[in-house]
Amino acid sequence: MGRIGTRQCDIDMLLRKLISKAKQLVFVHEAGPCGYWLYRYLTKKKLLCWVVAPSLVPKKAGDRVKTDRRDAIQLARLMRSGDLTPVYVQQVEDEAIRDLTRAREDAVRDLKAAKSRLKAFLLRQDIQYEGRANWGPAHLRWLAEVVCPIPAQQIVFQEYVRAVSEHEERLQRLKTELHEQAPAWRLYPVVQALQAMRDVQFTVAVTLIAELGDLTRFDNLRQLMSSLGLTPSEYSSGERRRQGTITKAGNRFARRALIEGAWSYRYPAKVSRHLQVRLEMFPKAIQNIGWNAQARLCKRFRHLTARGKNPNQVVVAIAREMAAFIWAITHKVHITR
């Protein structure tokens, strides 16, 4: 068909041409930076459209020629043969919450980089803070009293301090907006229920659900863990079985949130005061899952550590089992609500 414009009128013109040639149309395109507007536009017209991940499109090892025409023909052939796997396309409201959580993570990353630049500048000038905790009230008061020997350096120092303040204000605005927008979200009951898990507080819970969507769409745990990239890679042949590191082929935002929460299970099982307050608003079934998860995962963390496993490997194993308990809690919420 040649090159096609990106305007809706260009898409409509293409549809009129194709509908006159075939009764049934199937569209497929690779996921990219343009989002899912084309998928949603075609779906509204009751047309079948698949969005596939470029990393999951089969490619020949010796194929060194890439053009738009060859890619289009290859996608059509793979679609006809059934070798393509569609990605999960979230609803517009779900994607909006996901954008908000990712904006918060960007703000956290920018704040960390701004603090690192300020500390590096002070290190080059041999200006050292003799206190204990950085970025606390005492440290901020000390920064307000710092005076550089040269005016140009003082300007640089003040700009770095101002950048840290601006990023902190931006992060606080995004946190406030996330807390205000989440209660009206259709998946907010699931976000609340996940907080029955140890160290799965609001930020971790909303990040997981915003990135993964409705967890009941997974038929089994294997599919969920594959989407998180927590399954081990494998290269087996014959009687020999060899497993390697995790695939990391899934959602990196949700995987990182899980791994951060898994570190808390290195401590003994205990219901803290903050966790007890959160548990009071959940049904007994969800409370039992949260406690069973804590008792098992804390014990497993100690067991794997005693066997001499690397702490990073232990945390990944705990995160993989956390996903199973989270999947169970999600099904309980959908049943009880």
Side-chain angles (χ1 to χ4, degrees), residues 194-200 265 275 278 293 322 325-326 329:
L194 292 189
Q195 297 180 55
M197 297 277 293
R198 177 174 179 171
D199 208 35
V200 180
Y265 291 96
L275 181 58
R278 298 204 307 264
M322 279 182 64
F325 287 103
I326 288 174
I329 289 178

Side-chain angles (χ1 to χ4, degrees), residues 12 48 54 86 94 99 116 133 136 164 172 182 210 239 244 247 252 289:
D12 292 337
L48 179 60
D94 301 347
D99 291 338
S116 178
V164 172
Q172 189 58 42
E239 299 179 355
T247 60
R252 61 187 177 91
I289 294 176

Side-chain angles (χ1 to χ4, degrees), residues 240-258:
R240 184 184 64 180
R241 186 186 183 192
R242 179 181 298 174
Q243 289 184 322
T245 58
I246 58 174
T247 60
K248 294 185 180 180
N251 191 298
R252 61 187 177 91
F253 300 98
R255 181 172 61 251
R256 185 175 66 250
L258 266 181

Side-chain angles (χ1 to χ4, degrees), residues 258-276:
L258 266 181
I259 290 178
E260 287 179 357
W263 279 106
S264 66
Y265 291 96
R266 66 186 184 274
Y267 302 112
K270 177 184 177 182
V271 178
S272 63
R273 181 172 59 89
H274 299 287
L275 181 58
Q276 183 63 40

Side-chain angles (χ1 to χ4, degrees), residues 282-298:
F282 301 132
K284 188 65 177 178
I286 295 179
Q287 293 183 22
N288 292 336
I289 294 176
W291 173 249
N292 292 336
Q294 187 174 170
R296 172 179 170 80
L297 296 180
C298 291

Side-chain angles (χ1 to χ4, degrees), residues 77-216:
R77 289 174 177 171
L78 293 173
M79 184 70 184
R80 185 173 57 186
S81 62
D83 292 330
L84 294 179
T85 303
V87 300
Y88 173 68
V89 179
Q90 294 182 331
Q91 298 184 15
V92 178
E93 296 79 7
D94 301 347
E95 191 175 10
I97 298 295
R98 188 191 67 179
D99 291 338
L100 197 55
T101 59
R102 290 189 179 182
R104 189 200 66 84
E105 291 196 8
D106 292 338
V108 171
R109 193 180 303 110
D110 294 340
L111 175 60
K112 184 177 180 181
K115 289 180 177 180
S116 178
R117 295 189 192 102
L118 176 57
K119 293 177 68 175
F121 173 79
L122 294 176
L123 183 63
R124 292 195 303 269
Q125 310 307 320
D126 194 24
I127 301 176
Q128 301 180 8
Y129 175 60
E130 297 180 355
R132 294 184 177 180
N134 288 332
W135 309 113
H139 187 214
L140 295 179
R141 288 194 298 269
W142 175 80
L143 287 174
E145 299 174 356
V146 171
V147 177
C148 297
I150 301 177
Q153 292 178 339
Q154 186 67 24
I155 293 175
V156 174
F157 169 74
Q158 292 298 338
E159 288 295 334
Y160 280 149
V161 172
R162 182 179 178 183
V164 172
S165 301
E166 290 176 350
H167 287 305
E168 286 180 342
E169 294 174 359
R170 170 189 167 202
L171 177 60
Q172 189 58 42
R173 289 196 303 269
L174 289 171
K175 284 183 177 179
T176 303
E177 195 66 29
L178 188 58
H179 279 274
E180 292 178 356
Q181 296 289 339
W185 187 25
R186 67 182 185 93
L187 296 177
Y188 184 67
V190 184
V191 174
Q192 287 183 307
L194 292 189
Q195 297 180 55
M197 297 277 293
R198 177 174 179 171
D199 208 35
V200 180
Q201 298 184 14
F202 174 79
T203 302
V204 176
V206 74
T207 300
L208 282 172
I209 301 303
E211 294 294 338
L212 299 177
D214 189 359
L215 298 185
T216 57

